[in-house]
Amino acid sequence: MEPSTDKMVDPTLVEMGKNLNEAMKMLEDHPRREDEKDSKKYSRKDIPGPLQGSGQDMVSILQLVQTLMHGDDEEDALVYRTQNVGEKGHMALLGHSLAAYISVLDKERLRKLTTRILSDTTLWLCRLFRYENGSAYYHEDDREGLLKVCRLVIHSRFEDYSSEGFSVFYSKQPVIYISSASRSGLGQFICNQLGLPLSCLCRVPCNTMFGSQHQMDVALLDRLIKDDTESGKVPLLLVANAGTPGAGHTDKLTRLKELCDQYNMWLHVEGVNLATLALGYVSSPVLAATKCDSMTLTLGPWLGLPAVPAVTLYRHEDPSLSLAAGLTSSQPVEKLRALPLWLSLQYLGHDGIVEKIKHASQLSQRLLESLKNLDSIKTSVEDESSSPVVVFKFYQEHEITGQLHYGTSSMTTQDQSVTDRDVCDALNQWLGEQLALLVPASGVDAVELEDEGICVRFSPLMTSAVLGTAAEDIDQLVGCLKAKIPILTCTLHMREEFRQEVTQTAGLSYIEDATWPGLGVLRFEHCSDEQDATKREEEAEKLTIALLKKLHELESDISFSSGPEFGGEKNCIYIGMATEDLDVAELVETIASTGREIEANSKLLENMTEVVRKGILEAQVQLQKANEERLLEEGILRQIPVVGSVLNWFSPVQASARGRTFNLTAGSLETTEKTYMCKTQGTGETPPPTPTSSHSKQRHPGQKYFKRSPRSFDGFSETSSVSYTEEVKKTEEQADVPAPGNVEFQEGSLLQNGHTTVPTTHTEEAAPSEKYQPSDISSSKPEDPATLS
């Protein structure tokens, strides 16, 4: 059944379905007979929905797979694809489907087919990578080949191992030597899988005096082997690198091979530089890998082939030991692991394979040539003429040493160097993340090396075929790097100036964090009278959050954050990278003044809340007294319902509306007689201005904050203060305090100029001429509770 293309979004899935369908038709001898479906339908309540009924069609299933791969957004489904899967990738994916289909053949035909596929693939790989008379082991985990080789060497060196097991190691303990520059965890993985103690693992340091800093120290290795031999141990295997995982350097394989022959050791080589063995010209250090006992090739990333197995090529004369070690299998199905490679290698051909590897090498050379023209960029390349891995970093020794303020008598030279490296590592970590974000097709990443620290690595042999990296991407990468160098330089130069400004500014404290990739870290010191440490911490946290929010509202090129997700200081402001025209003094003063403003507004709200609460209580007492006076003036008879109505009809009482208004500015209660007489509410005193920044500078239209500007411009405030109305609204929300006298306080009673009116309660309605609209004054119905906010 061929899936319809109108319902599919991802063309890769459509092409896979077509290729698989055509291959099935070509390989089938006879058309498949459709079994008659049983008319009886089975149903169970506990069966999941997708399995109920008679099954789903292929289009629906592929659409489900597509949704799981890309998510629900079909429009952007193809944008987030992580691999460049072309026709060559289809052949590798088709190989997995064909392997499952071929496995159902009869045993004899399956044996002949798998033998042919395995022998062809092994021969082609040995010829391509110059490894004559070798055998091949295909495995999914790229470490599994080394594991099987170790088993083979154990069987070869310990004849009784197959019958006695680990008891043969009691008298003679095996030793596996591995470079300290190898990928982390490789030695532990081998020992854990073999059941050997970690004492059987020996990590060989790299050169520290002469040669590459990432090459194995051969002289030291010789001494280690001699010491182990004299102590009764058995040197078993040496793992060397043709392209270290970090810097891409190659060990001295010729010398190491001689040393292994001398002590009867097995030499295994792995690394990305082994891919260059397929080229016409191979450097002599890498060419020496063809003489080793085994090597592991990862053709998937090198050639951009998805889901193809890694291959370990090895030489050994005893097939029975290879079978015991698991390097060969008598099961024909396991030999079908080579089928995806068998199809892909034929599809690419020799020219296609060489072109892929050559293109990656040319990308490295293109980047390396461009880096030579950039200042402040240091490269760590072993062989500039043919290195497929480029490692570089930003470094300015005189800037780092001059700008850091740690040069005190109490700090040792070792501590100084550690701090310098932390600063440099932080900047290069940021640089690597920015380049990977801006040019994702380049495949660059940040890597930590033992001596150089954190560097930016470009390894196109592992990424270019998958990501489709082109020469234009390298040019874009160089352009982005040129744009980031001035930012890194300015940030490094201004770190000390920022520290000095912060330490000299009242209310701010400088927090030392050499691992932060930015201008620096500071904390606004909150002045609090709170005795509880937890509450003080909460107040400081709230103030820091408000300060960050204010800083984010400013239009500037500086980034502000609360620090890294893990390991950062609490209640601190982390300042990002700086630019050349940054005014550090203005930046620090703005942060300090904004913090003081927020702190003052916070205290103002707290004081206002207390004043309003006291005013409400005082208003209740005065209103109660006013009601008592009214009773004395009107008499008791007027309070009786029937009698009072008759008296009021014969002798109306001209009652005046009397109330209280609360002046928020003065914090006092005032009478409302003037308001009722003038029909308008008094303005009262002008409220005090909200605290603002004392460090002000006028900027021309479009100029961002913290930028140096010409002196002809006058200053204006850089921080916006919270409006008075907003503060009053906050006061209304916070003034929810119960008051005696059954008085109900509602929102909306606050009038202009910070006054709140509380009318006196009367038993009679006011005269028509004395009534006021709600827009004029807040009043309550007769005998209702007074309203005040």
Side-chain angles (χ1 to χ4, degrees), residues 76-292:
D76 299 333
L78 301 180
V79 178
Y80 300 100
R81 181 179 298 170
T82 57
Q83 291 192 3
N84 182 22
V85 181
E87 294 184 1
K88 65 182 185 302
H90 294 163
M91 296 301 295
L93 298 176
L94 182 61
H96 291 275
S97 301
L98 291 177
Y101 177 74
I102 293 172
S103 63
V104 303
L105 298 177
D106 59 272
K107 293 183 179 180
E108 184 62 25
R109 185 177 300 180
L110 179 61
R111 184 186 61 80
K112 293 181 180 179
L113 181 58
T114 54
T115 302
R116 170 66 183 275
I117 293 173
L118 188 62
S119 60
D120 285 352
T121 310
T122 302
L123 176 62
W124 298 341
L125 291 175
C126 288
R127 293 291 177 83
L128 283 172
F129 295 96
R130 308 171 188 266
Y131 197 82
E132 298 297 335
N133 300 323
S135 302
Y137 172 65
Y138 303 89
H139 46 94
E140 302 297 333
D141 191 342
D142 55 2
R143 302 172 298 179
E144 189 177 354
L146 176 58
L147 176 63
K148 300 295 185 182
V149 166
C150 289
R151 293 186 184 275
L152 174 62
V153 180
I154 290 176
H155 280 280
S156 302
R157 297 295 301 274
F158 298 90
E159 298 179 356
D160 299 333
Y161 177 74
S162 57
S163 59
E164 300 295 334
F166 293 103
S167 60
V168 298
F169 300 149
Y170 291 158
S171 58
K172 294 183 178 181
Q173 179 178 341
V175 182
I176 300 174
Y177 301 90
I178 186 170
S179 172
S180 59
S182 297
R183 47 181 166 167
S184 60
L186 180 60
Q188 289 83 348
F189 172 80
I190 298 301
C191 290
N192 292 336
Q193 294 298 316
L194 294 176
L196 298 176
L198 291 180
S199 58
C200 295
L201 179 66
C202 179
R203 295 182 61 87
V204 183
C206 294
N207 291 339
T208 55
M209 297 296 294
F210 305 99
S212 171
Q213 300 298 318
H214 305 279
Q215 289 181 338
M216 195 183 304
D217 193 333
V218 181
L220 180 57
L221 173 63
D222 190 8
R223 292 197 297 269
L224 292 174
I225 296 176
K226 288 181 179 179
D227 294 341
D228 292 336
T229 304
E230 293 175 357
S231 61
K233 298 181 180 180
V234 179
L236 194 67
L237 180 140
L238 172 64
V239 181
N241 292 291
T244 55
H249 290 199
T250 302
D251 290 325
K252 300 179 177 65
L253 298 180
T254 302
R255 284 281 297 116
L256 294 178
K257 179 58 180 175
E258 296 174 355
L259 199 63
C260 289
D261 292 340
Q262 177 182 350
Y263 292 99
N264 192 22
M265 293 173 55
W266 185 283
L267 177 60
H268 178 83
V269 181
E270 60 180 25
V272 67
N273 292 354
L274 293 175
T276 60
L277 290 173
L279 301 177
Y281 169 77
V282 186
S283 60
S284 55
V286 179
L287 188 60
T290 59
K291 305 299 182 183
C292 65

Side-chain angles (χ1 to χ4, degrees), residues 381-621:
V381 180
E382 176 190 17
D383 187 1
E384 295 186 358
S385 62
S386 60
S387 177
V389 180
V390 178
V391 177
F392 61 93
K393 64 181 297 185
F394 168 80
Y395 188 76
Q396 289 184 339
E397 183 176 3
H398 61 283
E399 289 288 348
I400 294 180
T401 305
Q403 296 303 326
L404 291 177
H405 63 281
Y406 295 100
T408 60
S409 58
S410 61
M411 173 165 274
T412 63
T413 305
Q414 183 179 1
D415 295 336
Q416 174 72 32
S417 62
V418 171
T419 306
D420 293 352
R421 175 167 172 172
D422 291 339
V423 175
C424 188
D425 287 350
L427 297 178
N428 281 282
Q429 181 72 35
W430 177 86
L431 177 62
E433 294 174 354
Q434 289 294 310
L435 294 179
L437 182 64
L438 296 173
V439 194
S442 64
V444 297
D445 62 343
V447 59
E448 184 174 4
L449 304 180
E450 185 175 356
D451 295 313
E452 284 84 359
I454 295 180
C455 303
V456 182
R457 177 181 58 187
F458 176 63
S459 182
L461 276 171
M462 299 298 292
T463 60
S464 63
V466 173
L467 299 176
T469 310
E472 294 77 10
D473 298 320
I474 302 304
D475 297 337
Q476 183 183 359
L477 179 67
V478 175
C480 294
L481 181 59
K482 290 181 179 179
K484 297 300 179 184
I485 290 178
I487 298 177
L488 292 167
T489 304
C490 293
T491 301
L492 187 60
H493 178 74
M494 295 180 180
R495 286 176 67 98
E496 174 63 15
E497 181 184 357
F498 174 79
R499 185 193 68 84
Q500 293 179 358
E501 290 289 342
V502 172
T503 53
Q504 295 173 3
T505 303
L508 299 181
S509 59
Y510 182 79
I511 306 300
E512 186 57 53
D513 189 353
T515 61
W516 171 249
L519 199 59
V521 186
L522 59 84
R523 178 186 289 121
F524 183 84
E525 298 297 341
H526 175 53
C527 298
S528 176
D529 299 332
E530 183 63 47
Q531 300 296 328
D532 191 356
T534 304
K535 292 184 178 180
R536 286 201 307 270
E537 187 75 15
E538 293 177 355
E539 292 179 359
E541 183 178 359
K542 291 180 180 179
L543 191 146
T544 304
I545 293 175
L547 180 57
L548 272 174
K549 183 179 179 181
K550 280 287 186 181
L551 295 175
H552 288 157
E553 294 175 356
L554 303 179
E555 295 183 0
S556 67
D557 294 331
I558 303 299
S559 63
F560 305 93
S561 67
S562 57
E565 183 178 1
F566 302 102
E569 294 283 343
K570 292 183 178 180
N571 304 327
C572 292
I573 305 295
Y574 285 73
I575 317 297
M577 306 298 287
T579 55
E580 185 178 1
D581 54 354
L582 174 65
D583 191 338
V584 179
E586 179 189 357
L587 170 65
V588 175
E589 178 59 27
T590 300
I591 296 175
S593 61
T594 306
R596 291 193 295 266
E597 174 186 338
I598 296 174
E599 188 177 39
N601 290 333
S602 176
K603 292 181 179 179
L604 178 63
L605 288 176
E606 294 177 359
N607 297 335
M608 188 180 299
T609 302
E610 182 64 21
V611 169
V612 170
R613 189 185 68 83
K614 292 180 179 179
I616 291 172
L617 297 177
E618 184 180 353
Q620 296 302 318
V621 174

Side-chain angles (χ1 to χ4, degrees), residues 346-384:
Q346 291 183 85
Y347 185 82
L348 288 173
H350 178 263
D351 294 342
I353 296 171
V354 173
E355 182 62 28
K356 289 287 182 183
I357 300 175
K358 185 178 180 181
H359 174 69
S361 300
Q362 290 175 348
L363 292 177
S364 296
Q365 296 303 313
R366 187 182 186 93
L367 177 61
L368 188 59
E369 291 297 328
S370 301
L371 294 179
K372 292 180 179 179
N373 302 323
L374 297 180
D375 297 332
S376 305
I377 296 297
K378 175 184 177 183
T379 60
S380 176
V381 180
E382 176 190 17
D383 187 1
E384 295 186 358

Side-chain angles (χ1 to χ4, degrees), residues 26-43:
M26 294 175 59
L27 294 176
E28 287 181 347
D29 295 333
H30 303 283
R32 178 180 301 176
R33 295 185 303 173
E34 294 290 341
D35 297 334
E36 296 182 358
K37 294 184 178 179
D38 191 355
S39 59
K40 183 179 179 180
K41 296 182 179 180
Y42 300 93
S43 61

Side-chain angles (χ1 to χ4, degrees), residues 708-726:
R708 292 193 180 98
S709 60
R711 297 182 179 179
S712 58
F713 294 101
D714 296 329
F716 78 94
S717 178
E718 299 167 279
T719 57
S720 58
S721 61
V722 181
S723 65
Y724 193 72
T725 305
E726 293 177 353

